[in-house]
Amino acid sequence: MFDASAALAAFGFELGVLKRVRRTGWWQVGVRDPESVAEHTMRAAQLAALIAAEEGASPERAAFLALWHDTQETRTGDLPHTAAPYLAKPDPRAITEDQTAALPDAARAVVRDAVGEYEDRESPESRCAKDADKLEMLLQALEYRDLGASGVDEWLASAQKDLFTRTARDLAAAALDLTPLSWRTGR
């Protein structure tokens, strides 16, 4: 049995797997080296904070929820939407419960509470975090399209579907109107 510090260190090593897990759906549109789950998570957390700030919610809480939203993929890998007809979607809460079983009480509670809140989509911050997850995918699809990936229209449509906040809907529309040159120059 691990002591508290060893359990936290072991979980830290497990979280490091997210730097190596690739977002597999991008392979289907020809992206040879897609972003990692950790790269996706970073921008999603940043976007969650920005959306929450504009929506009058807590940017810190929204970013925190986004930070934990895909940590279960250390255990499952990134499952593309095309796998859905063949596999039952794993329950993020159950995976998180298993992942955090050895952690000290406070750490275990903070992670489990964040995942539960994100999955429930009841708080303004959880809705901002979910919108950020989808918007990060939209931005990534546009970037990959600019690099020559074809077939990203499905990702663009999916990212815009069921956005909760006005800010996220406006951000998606604006991103679709920007040109790659404007991304780089800010004009």
Side-chain angles (χ1 to χ4, degrees):
M1 179 80 167
F2 284 157
D3 69 12
S5 295
L8 289 166
F11 190 50
F13 281 118
E14 180 173 346
L15 293 172
V17 171
L18 296 173
K19 296 190 295 184
R20 297 184 300 279
V21 173
R22 297 289 163 194
R23 303 254 303 163
T24 58
W26 297 120
W27 284 323
Q28 296 169 348
V29 295
V31 176
R32 295 185 89 185
D33 186 26
E35 66 176 336
S36 70
V37 172
E39 290 167 318
H40 159 74
T41 299
M42 184 196 76
R43 183 160 57 176
Q46 292 166 329
L47 289 168
L50 298 173
I51 294 165
E54 293 299 312
E55 291 290 319
S58 168
E60 297 86 357
R61 185 69 182 168
F64 188 73
L65 298 179
L67 186 65
W68 293 100
H69 85 280
D70 278 340
T71 55
Q72 305 79 24
E73 292 181 11
T74 64
R75 303 281 173 105
T76 64
D78 180 52
L79 300 172
H81 291 290
T82 56
Y86 310 104
L87 303 171
K89 183 180 189 295
D91 177 10
R93 288 179 188 88
I95 296 168
T96 300
E97 186 175 313
D98 187 48
Q99 284 179 309
T100 59
L103 295 182
D105 293 344
R108 181 175 53 245
V110 78
V111 175
R112 289 179 180 181
D113 290 350
V115 170
E117 183 178 343
Y118 177 83
E119 292 298 325
D120 289 341
R121 308 277 194 283
E122 292 177 5
S123 69
E125 292 78 11
S126 66
R127 291 187 292 273
C128 291
K130 180 59 179 176
D131 281 357
D133 178 39
K134 294 179 102 180
L135 288 170
E136 198 290 324
M137 180 177 65
L138 181 137
L139 296 176
Q140 191 64 67
L142 291 169
E143 290 168 351
Y144 285 149
R145 183 175 70 185
D146 183 52
L147 294 172
S150 61
V152 299
D153 291 345
E154 177 185 340
W155 275 260
L156 296 173
S158 174
Q160 295 174 77
K161 188 175 183 251
D162 301 324
L163 292 171
F164 290 99
T165 64
R166 175 201 48 78
T167 300
R169 289 187 295 274
D170 291 349
L171 197 158
L176 290 165
D177 285 341
L178 291 174
T179 65
L181 178 62
S182 65
W183 305 342
R184 293 185 267 290
T185 64
R187 293 183 212 141

PDB file of all heavy atoms in Angstrom, residues 88-112:
ATOM      1  N   ALA A  88     -19.270   0.441 -25.653  1.00  0.00           N
ATOM      2  CA  ALA A  88     -20.019   1.259 -24.712  1.00  0.00           C
ATOM      3  C   ALA A  88     -19.082   2.337 -24.201  1.00  0.00           C
ATOM      4  O   ALA A  88     -17.914   2.068 -23.895  1.00  0.00           O
ATOM      5  CB  ALA A  88     -20.529   0.405 -23.559  1.00  0.00           C
ATOM      6  N   LYS A  89     -19.566   3.574 -24.126  1.00  0.00           N
ATOM      7  CA  LYS A  89     -18.727   4.670 -23.636  1.00  0.00           C
ATOM      8  C   LYS A  89     -18.401   4.417 -22.161  1.00  0.00           C
ATOM      9  O   LYS A  89     -19.292   4.220 -21.353  1.00  0.00           O
ATOM     10  CB  LYS A  89     -19.441   6.006 -23.800  1.00  0.00           C
ATOM     11  CG  LYS A  89     -18.591   7.187 -23.372  1.00  0.00           C
ATOM     12  CD  LYS A  89     -19.345   8.488 -23.557  1.00  0.00           C
ATOM     13  CE  LYS A  89     -18.532   9.712 -23.370  1.00  0.00           C
ATOM     14  NZ  LYS A  89     -17.984  10.007 -22.126  1.00  0.00           N
ATOM     15  N   PRO A  90     -17.127   4.407 -21.833  1.00  0.00           N
ATOM     16  CA  PRO A  90     -16.752   4.214 -20.430  1.00  0.00           C
ATOM     17  C   PRO A  90     -17.283   5.363 -19.564  1.00  0.00           C
ATOM     18  O   PRO A  90     -17.366   6.503 -20.013  1.00  0.00           O
ATOM     19  CB  PRO A  90     -15.227   4.234 -20.459  1.00  0.00           C
ATOM     20  CG  PRO A  90     -14.838   4.041 -21.879  1.00  0.00           C
ATOM     21  CD  PRO A  90     -15.973   4.553 -22.708  1.00  0.00           C
ATOM     22  N   ASP A  91     -17.654   5.058 -18.346  1.00  0.00           N
ATOM     23  CA  ASP A  91     -18.152   6.067 -17.420  1.00  0.00           C
ATOM     24  C   ASP A  91     -16.967   6.813 -16.813  1.00  0.00           C
ATOM     25  O   ASP A  91     -16.179   6.215 -16.060  1.00  0.00           O
ATOM     26  CB  ASP A  91     -18.976   5.398 -16.324  1.00  0.00           C
ATOM     27  CG  ASP A  91     -19.480   6.374 -15.275  1.00  0.00           C
ATOM     28  OD1 ASP A  91     -19.370   7.606 -15.471  1.00  0.00           O
ATOM     29  OD2 ASP A  91     -19.987   5.901 -14.238  1.00  0.00           O
ATOM     30  N   PRO A  92     -16.817   8.105 -17.137  1.00  0.00           N
ATOM     31  CA  PRO A  92     -15.673   8.862 -16.608  1.00  0.00           C
ATOM     32  C   PRO A  92     -15.602   8.845 -15.081  1.00  0.00           C
ATOM     33  O   PRO A  92     -14.514   8.799 -14.507  1.00  0.00           O
ATOM     34  CB  PRO A  92     -15.905  10.282 -17.132  1.00  0.00           C
ATOM     35  CG  PRO A  92     -16.769  10.103 -18.331  1.00  0.00           C
ATOM     36  CD  PRO A  92     -17.645   8.911 -18.029  1.00  0.00           C
ATOM     37  N   ARG A  93     -16.760   8.870 -14.418  1.00  0.00           N
ATOM     38  CA  ARG A  93     -16.754   8.865 -12.954  1.00  0.00           C
ATOM     39  C   ARG A  93     -16.168   7.555 -12.411  1.00  0.00           C
ATOM     40  O   ARG A  93     -15.411   7.568 -11.446  1.00  0.00           O
ATOM     41  CB  ARG A  93     -18.163   9.079 -12.418  1.00  0.00           C
ATOM     42  CG  ARG A  93     -18.683  10.474 -12.594  1.00  0.00           C
ATOM     43  CD  ARG A  93     -20.104  10.543 -12.027  1.00  0.00           C
ATOM     44  NE  ARG A  93     -20.731  11.791 -12.333  1.00  0.00           N
ATOM     45  CZ  ARG A  93     -21.431  12.049 -13.437  1.00  0.00           C
ATOM     46  NH1 ARG A  93     -21.596  11.132 -14.357  1.00  0.00           N
ATOM     47  NH2 ARG A  93     -21.980  13.227 -13.620  1.00  0.00           N
ATOM     48  N   ALA A  94     -16.540   6.446 -13.024  1.00  0.00           N
ATOM     49  CA  ALA A  94     -16.045   5.146 -12.566  1.00  0.00           C
ATOM     50  C   ALA A  94     -14.533   5.030 -12.781  1.00  0.00           C
ATOM     51  O   ALA A  94     -13.817   4.512 -11.909  1.00  0.00           O
ATOM     52  CB  ALA A  94     -16.775   4.016 -13.289  1.00  0.00           C
ATOM     53  N   ILE A  95     -14.065   5.511 -13.927  1.00  0.00           N
ATOM     54  CA  ILE A  95     -12.626   5.467 -14.184  1.00  0.00           C
ATOM     55  C   ILE A  95     -11.884   6.350 -13.187  1.00  0.00           C
ATOM     56  O   ILE A  95     -10.873   5.952 -12.609  1.00  0.00           O
ATOM     57  CB  ILE A  95     -12.316   5.892 -15.632  1.00  0.00           C
ATOM     58  CG1 ILE A  95     -12.930   4.897 -16.614  1.00  0.00           C
ATOM     59  CG2 ILE A  95     -10.800   6.002 -15.848  1.00  0.00           C
ATOM     60  CD1 ILE A  95     -12.923   5.362 -18.052  1.00  0.00           C
ATOM     61  N   THR A  96     -12.413   7.553 -12.965  1.00  0.00           N
ATOM     62  CA  THR A  96     -11.783   8.480 -12.016  1.00  0.00           C
ATOM     63  C   THR A  96     -11.785   7.903 -10.609  1.00  0.00           C
ATOM     64  O   THR A  96     -10.803   8.041  -9.869  1.00  0.00           O
ATOM     65  CB  THR A  96     -12.498   9.840 -12.050  1.00  0.00           C
ATOM     66  OG1 THR A  96     -12.408  10.368 -13.371  1.00  0.00           O
ATOM     67  CG2 THR A  96     -11.884  10.819 -11.060  1.00  0.00           C
ATOM     68  N   GLU A  97     -12.851   7.226 -10.247  1.00  0.00           N
ATOM     69  CA  GLU A  97     -12.911   6.595  -8.926  1.00  0.00           C
ATOM     70  C   GLU A  97     -11.780   5.585  -8.774  1.00  0.00           C
ATOM     71  O   GLU A  97     -11.087   5.553  -7.753  1.00  0.00           O
ATOM     72  CB  GLU A  97     -14.276   5.919  -8.745  1.00  0.00           C
ATOM     73  CG  GLU A  97     -14.484   5.359  -7.361  1.00  0.00           C
ATOM     74  CD  GLU A  97     -15.886   4.810  -7.175  1.00  0.00           C
ATOM     75  OE1 GLU A  97     -16.859   5.492  -7.551  1.00  0.00           O
ATOM     76  OE2 GLU A  97     -15.986   3.685  -6.643  1.00  0.00           O
ATOM     77  N   ASP A  98     -11.572   4.782  -9.803  1.00  0.00           N
ATOM     78  CA  ASP A  98     -10.487   3.794  -9.776  1.00  0.00           C
ATOM     79  C   ASP A  98      -9.119   4.472  -9.780  1.00  0.00           C
ATOM     80  O   ASP A  98      -8.228   4.103  -9.011  1.00  0.00           O
ATOM     81  CB  ASP A  98     -10.629   2.848 -10.970  1.00  0.00           C
ATOM     82  CG  ASP A  98      -9.651   1.692 -10.914  1.00  0.00           C
ATOM     83  OD1 ASP A  98      -9.542   1.054  -9.843  1.00  0.00           O
ATOM     84  OD2 ASP A  98      -9.005   1.429 -11.936  1.00  0.00           O
ATOM     85  N   GLN A  99      -8.961   5.476 -10.643  1.00  0.00           N
ATOM     86  CA  GLN A  99      -7.671   6.180 -10.743  1.00  0.00           C
ATOM     87  C   GLN A  99      -7.252   6.803  -9.419  1.00  0.00           C
ATOM     88  O   GLN A  99      -6.071   6.885  -9.118  1.00  0.00           O
ATOM     89  CB  GLN A  99      -7.760   7.315 -11.763  1.00  0.00           C
ATOM     90  CG  GLN A  99      -7.725   6.912 -13.192  1.00  0.00           C
ATOM     91  CD  GLN A  99      -7.855   8.135 -14.090  1.00  0.00           C
ATOM     92  OE1 GLN A  99      -8.770   8.948 -13.926  1.00  0.00           O
ATOM     93  NE2 GLN A  99      -6.943   8.269 -15.025  1.00  0.00           N
ATOM     94  N   THR A 100      -8.218   7.307  -8.674  1.00  0.00           N
ATOM     95  CA  THR A 100      -7.916   8.093  -7.476  1.00  0.00           C
ATOM     96  C   THR A 100      -8.070   7.303  -6.181  1.00  0.00           C
ATOM     97  O   THR A 100      -7.919   7.871  -5.098  1.00  0.00           O
ATOM     98  CB  THR A 100      -8.822   9.338  -7.421  1.00  0.00           C
ATOM     99  OG1 THR A 100     -10.195   8.922  -7.398  1.00  0.00           O
ATOM    100  CG2 THR A 100      -8.578  10.260  -8.609  1.00  0.00           C
ATOM    101  N   ALA A 101      -8.332   6.016  -6.269  1.00  0.00           N
ATOM    102  CA  ALA A 101      -8.604   5.211  -5.072  1.00  0.00           C
ATOM    103  C   ALA A 101      -7.484   5.279  -4.035  1.00  0.00           C
ATOM    104  O   ALA A 101      -7.750   5.293  -2.838  1.00  0.00           O
ATOM    105  CB  ALA A 101      -8.877   3.758  -5.468  1.00  0.00           C
ATOM    106  N   ALA A 102      -6.242   5.336  -4.467  1.00  0.00           N
ATOM    107  CA  ALA A 102      -5.116   5.320  -3.526  1.00  0.00           C
ATOM    108  C   ALA A 102      -4.717   6.715  -3.033  1.00  0.00           C
ATOM    109  O   ALA A 102      -3.868   6.829  -2.156  1.00  0.00           O
ATOM    110  CB  ALA A 102      -3.904   4.648  -4.179  1.00  0.00           C
ATOM    111  N   LEU A 103      -5.331   7.753  -3.596  1.00  0.00           N
ATOM    112  CA  LEU A 103      -4.932   9.115  -3.215  1.00  0.00           C
ATOM    113  C   LEU A 103      -5.407   9.458  -1.812  1.00  0.00           C
ATOM    114  O   LEU A 103      -6.410   8.918  -1.330  1.00  0.00           O
ATOM    115  CB  LEU A 103      -5.525  10.128  -4.197  1.00  0.00           C
ATOM    116  CG  LEU A 103      -5.031  10.072  -5.640  1.00  0.00           C
ATOM    117  CD1 LEU A 103      -5.694  11.173  -6.458  1.00  0.00           C
ATOM    118  CD2 LEU A 103      -3.521  10.184  -5.716  1.00  0.00           C
ATOM    119  N   PRO A 104      -4.728  10.397  -1.166  1.00  0.00           N
ATOM    120  CA  PRO A 104      -5.207  10.893   0.123  1.00  0.00           C
ATOM    121  C   PRO A 104      -6.595  11.522  -0.045  1.00  0.00           C
ATOM    122  O   PRO A 104      -6.966  11.953  -1.145  1.00  0.00           O
ATOM    123  CB  PRO A 104      -4.177  11.949   0.522  1.00  0.00           C
ATOM    124  CG  PRO A 104      -3.038  11.801  -0.415  1.00  0.00           C
ATOM    125  CD  PRO A 104      -3.496  11.045  -1.604  1.00  0.00           C
ATOM    126  N   ASP A 105      -7.346  11.582   1.022  1.00  0.00           N
ATOM    127  CA  ASP A 105      -8.745  12.009   0.969  1.00  0.00           C
ATOM    128  C   ASP A 105      -8.967  13.337   0.248  1.00  0.00           C
ATOM    129  O   ASP A 105      -9.851  13.435  -0.611  1.00  0.00           O
ATOM    130  CB  ASP A 105      -9.322  12.111   2.384  1.00  0.00           C
ATOM    131  CG  ASP A 105      -9.446  10.757   3.066  1.00  0.00           C
ATOM    132  OD1 ASP A 105      -9.381   9.722   2.366  1.00  0.00           O
ATOM    133  OD2 ASP A 105      -9.597  10.741   4.307  1.00  0.00           O
ATOM    134  N   ALA A 106      -8.203  14.359   0.585  1.00  0.00           N
ATOM    135  CA  ALA A 106      -8.428  15.681  -0.010  1.00  0.00           C
ATOM    136  C   ALA A 106      -8.173  15.674  -1.513  1.00  0.00           C
ATOM    137  O   ALA A 106      -8.971  16.205  -2.296  1.00  0.00           O
ATOM    138  CB  ALA A 106      -7.559  16.738   0.674  1.00  0.00           C
ATOM    139  N   ALA A 107      -7.087  15.067  -1.929  1.00  0.00           N
ATOM    140  CA  ALA A 107      -6.768  15.010  -3.356  1.00  0.00           C
ATOM    141  C   ALA A 107      -7.804  14.178  -4.104  1.00  0.00           C
ATOM    142  O   ALA A 107      -8.249  14.556  -5.195  1.00  0.00           O
ATOM    143  CB  ALA A 107      -5.364  14.431  -3.561  1.00  0.00           C
ATOM    144  N   ARG A 108      -8.170  13.055  -3.532  1.00  0.00           N
ATOM    145  CA  ARG A 108      -9.174  12.185  -4.160  1.00  0.00           C
ATOM    146  C   ARG A 108     -10.490  12.952  -4.343  1.00  0.00           C
ATOM    147  O   ARG A 108     -11.088  12.927  -5.416  1.00  0.00           O
ATOM    148  CB  ARG A 108      -9.391  10.935  -3.304  1.00  0.00           C
ATOM    149  CG  ARG A 108     -10.400   9.969  -3.901  1.00  0.00           C
ATOM    150  CD  ARG A 108     -10.523   8.664  -3.112  1.00  0.00           C
ATOM    151  NE  ARG A 108     -10.791   8.871  -1.705  1.00  0.00           N
ATOM    152  CZ  ARG A 108      -9.956   8.547  -0.715  1.00  0.00           C
ATOM    153  NH1 ARG A 108      -8.779   8.003  -0.965  1.00  0.00           N
ATOM    154  NH2 ARG A 108     -10.293   8.763   0.533  1.00  0.00           N
ATOM    155  N   ALA A 109     -10.921  13.661  -3.320  1.00  0.00           N
ATOM    156  CA  ALA A 109     -12.190  14.388  -3.395  1.00  0.00           C
ATOM    157  C   ALA A 109     -12.151  15.497  -4.439  1.00  0.00           C
ATOM    158  O   ALA A 109     -13.119  15.688  -5.183  1.00  0.00           O
ATOM    159  CB  ALA A 109     -12.540  14.962  -2.019  1.00  0.00           C
ATOM    160  N   VAL A 110     -11.043  16.233  -4.525  1.00  0.00           N
ATOM    161  CA  VAL A 110     -10.983  17.354  -5.460  1.00  0.00           C
ATOM    162  C   VAL A 110     -11.065  16.875  -6.906  1.00  0.00           C
ATOM    163  O   VAL A 110     -11.740  17.487  -7.735  1.00  0.00           O
ATOM    164  CB  VAL A 110      -9.746  18.255  -5.198  1.00  0.00           C
ATOM    165  CG1 VAL A 110      -8.461  17.664  -5.747  1.00  0.00           C
ATOM    166  CG2 VAL A 110      -9.963  19.641  -5.749  1.00  0.00           C
ATOM    167  N   VAL A 111     -10.424  15.758  -7.212  1.00  0.00           N
ATOM    168  CA  VAL A 111     -10.459  15.228  -8.581  1.00  0.00           C
ATOM    169  C   VAL A 111     -11.844  14.646  -8.878  1.00  0.00           C
ATOM    170  O   VAL A 111     -12.452  14.944  -9.923  1.00  0.00           O
ATOM    171  CB  VAL A 111      -9.358  14.173  -8.809  1.00  0.00           C
ATOM    172  CG1 VAL A 111      -9.487  13.535 -10.185  1.00  0.00           C
ATOM    173  CG2 VAL A 111      -7.979  14.803  -8.641  1.00  0.00           C
ATOM    174  N   ARG A 112     -12.354  13.840  -7.985  1.00  0.00           N
ATOM    175  CA  ARG A 112     -13.670  13.233  -8.209  1.00  0.00           C
ATOM    176  C   ARG A 112     -14.763  14.293  -8.319  1.00  0.00           C
ATOM    177  O   ARG A 112     -15.659  14.177  -9.164  1.00  0.00           O
ATOM    178  CB  ARG A 112     -13.998  12.239  -7.098  1.00  0.00           C
ATOM    179  CG  ARG A 112     -13.161  10.980  -7.176  1.00  0.00           C
ATOM    180  CD  ARG A 112     -13.494  10.036  -6.052  1.00  0.00           C
ATOM    181  NE  ARG A 112     -12.689   8.825  -6.126  1.00  0.00           N
ATOM    182  CZ  ARG A 112     -12.794   7.817  -5.274  1.00  0.00           C
ATOM    183  NH1 ARG A 112     -13.674   7.862  -4.289  1.00  0.00           N
ATOM    184  NH2 ARG A 112     -12.018   6.762  -5.410  1.00  0.00           N
TER     185      ARG A 112
END
